[in-house]
Amino acid sequence: MNVVPRDLMTETAVSSVDFRGAMRHLTGGVSVITAGRGKDITGMTVTSVTSVTSLSVDPPTLLVSINRDASSFPLIRRYGAFGVNILAADQLDVAERFAGKGGLKGADRFAGSQWVTAVSGVPLLVGALSAVDCEVEEIVERHSHGIVIGRVSSVRNSTRNAALAYWHGQYVAVDQDEDAARLAEVSVPARGLRGV
């Protein structure tokens, strides 16, 4: 492999439009990040590809990337905790509400769904595929975002298996049973493959 010396490379600025276009090709699970305590709560819809990542299994740790101008960021900083609610396919209304559809803000976004209070004080969504309570270990501020590292203090998993995903600017349902059946219908017959 030939490596071009940095001083010989042409530096071109990547436009935000081009970068967003590239990121739209990634399919990501949809989650709602919740923050705050009591009536001082808010949340935001994020896609897992760009905003939520498993950092470590031992100890269980998540990394979330949050715009510092988002209403959730100061509450995460103030209270030192956040929730990650991984949405099921039938929770599109929750995703849209926390994405700001209808102009709802703060505690008003929580109306219409059932929530429980985690040990940390953050609200967790009842019926989410998984609801994870995290305590902040560190916040690293870079550019427009804060990279928040959270130690997982509890996890609530459901037995549901249909997830809400985001791809090319649209919400998409991903159902393990239905999609596996569809793939089986169009797959290459095993007898046509050598060594199978």
Side-chain angles (χ1 to χ4, degrees), residues 48 51-64 84 149-150 152:
S48 295
S51 295
V52 180
T53 303
S54 170
L55 181 63
S56 170
V57 173
D58 188 18
T61 311
L62 288 177
L63 180 148
V64 295
V84 176
I149 299 170
V152 175

Side-chain angles (χ1 to χ4, degrees), residues 125-138:
L125 179 62
V126 173
L129 291 178
S130 292
V132 184
D133 185 22
C134 297
E135 293 183 24
V136 174
E137 283 190 346
E138 183 178 357

